[in-house]
Amino acid sequence: MRASPSAVHSGAVDQLREIVGIVDAVLGSTAVGVYLHGSSVLGGLRPASDLDLLAITRRTMSDRERAELLGRLLAVSGFTDGLRPVELIVVARPEVCPWRVPPTGDFLYGEWLRSEFENGAVPEPEPMPDLALLISMVLAGDRPLVGPPPSEVLDPVPHEDLVRASVEGIPALLDDLDNDTRNVVLTVARIWATVATGMVMSKDQAASWALAELPSTDRPVLEYTRRLYLEYRYSEEAWSDELKAQARPCVDQMLVAIERLSAH
């Protein structure tokens, strides 16, 4: 297995190796490759970063494979015993090559869904507009854990589809502003940076870009969320009432800029 330097430096290589082994045990020759994306390839893992992986397969998974993959992932993902939370998306290559809108994901595991999984839910195929962003990150990061380079497996995503997917996810994102302020503010900053530049940046890089564009009155919240991202786990963060109240105006300011750019 070839792991990214950032993942190795962060002590996550054993966990990555275990996940790759699970994919191989469950899917065997059906798997084309497993690829890192997210923080692992965009600047390095941070204290609260997930391990983000995209597995590409030759066909859709069977019910048995879904149940087995889910059961094994539940045992190797989390927030305790030195583990990082895992986000694993499985995509059947015929669903994204040639590229189409909306793309379909075959399987999604994430820790925010754990309670549903433990109550019997099993991931099923569904439209995943976010695959436009994830595939772009995989191609830009070029970090195969196993398999050929992603450019030999995946088609590039047109810029207009990347912008559309980013913008369409905003309403659902805003529903979590009060409960997940750090991630929502940073994700909106990243959407803004992507729409403006066509580049997929890490959250802290996007925040730095956005800080240079924001009015000074809206910068404190973004500066704080960037610091939280770089230095603190979720359990360690704290918000003053004053700073929390500034989150919505900061996000609204970025949304105005996003709307203006995406309308062109």
Side-chain angles (χ1 to χ4, degrees):
M1 182 189 76
R2 182 157 66 94
S4 76
S6 57
V8 173
H9 179 72
S10 302
V13 67
D14 290 340
Q15 195 174 355
L16 289 171
R17 185 179 291 112
E18 191 165 10
I19 296 164
V20 169
I22 288 171
V23 171
D24 180 60
V26 175
L27 298 175
S29 61
T30 297
V32 176
V34 181
Y35 304 93
L36 284 171
H37 63 87
S39 301
S40 297
V41 298
L42 297 176
L45 293 172
R46 303 304 180 185
S49 295
D50 293 358
L51 294 178
D52 298 311
L53 301 99
L54 179 69
I56 304 297
T57 58
R58 293 179 170 83
R59 57 162 175 80
T60 58
M61 298 168 63
S62 68
D63 291 344
R64 180 196 63 78
E65 289 167 338
R66 293 176 193 282
E68 183 177 356
L69 183 59
L70 174 60
R72 290 179 179 234
L73 288 171
L74 285 166
V76 299
S77 171
F79 299 91
T80 59
D81 300 324
L83 295 177
R84 284 185 180 268
V86 172
E87 180 180 316
L88 173 66
I89 296 176
V90 180
V91 176
R93 189 168 182 265
E95 295 296 330
V96 293
C97 292
W99 172 256
R100 69 204 65 182
V101 177
T104 297
D106 199 36
F107 178 99
L108 167 63
Y109 178 89
E111 276 301 308
W112 69 94
L113 298 169
R114 176 176 281 270
S115 62
E116 296 179 28
F117 295 149
E118 290 178 338
N119 286 323
V122 178
E124 296 289 343
E126 60 179 330
M128 290 186 187
D130 281 357
L131 282 173
L133 176 62
L134 303 190
I135 287 175
S136 296
M137 282 195 283
V138 165
L139 289 167
D142 192 21
R143 293 289 192 277
L145 294 177
V146 290
S151 60
E152 297 179 12
V153 177
L154 297 165
D155 289 345
V157 177
H159 175 68
E160 57 269 24
D161 290 344
L162 181 60
V163 170
R164 184 185 302 114
S166 298
V167 172
E168 286 179 353
I170 289 174
L173 189 65
L174 296 180
D175 289 342
D176 292 328
L177 179 59
D178 292 336
N179 298 323
D180 193 15
T181 308
R182 176 208 298 212
N183 278 327
V184 172
V185 171
L186 291 172
T187 301
V188 172
R190 182 158 70 182
I191 292 170
W192 183 16
T194 298
V195 172
T197 70
M199 298 172 58
V200 180
M201 305 180 189
S202 67
K203 288 180 178 177
D204 59 297
Q205 289 169 338
S208 295
W209 178 91
L211 283 167
E213 304 293 325
L214 276 175
S216 58
T217 53
D218 293 308
R219 291 175 191 164
V221 168
L222 189 53
E223 289 172 340
Y224 184 60
T225 55
R226 183 179 184 275
R227 181 184 170 199
L228 289 175
Y229 175 77
L230 290 173
E231 300 179 13
Y232 295 96
R233 300 181 184 275
Y234 294 117
S235 59
E236 299 168 335
E237 71 177 72
W239 287 79
S240 68
D241 291 341
E242 179 182 3
L243 202 57
K244 193 82 166 181
Q246 296 175 31
R248 174 63 70 169
C250 174
V251 166
D252 286 345
Q253 184 70 34
M254 292 190 286
L255 292 178
V256 168
I258 292 168
E259 184 176 1
R260 183 174 63 249
L261 289 167
S262 58
H264 292 165

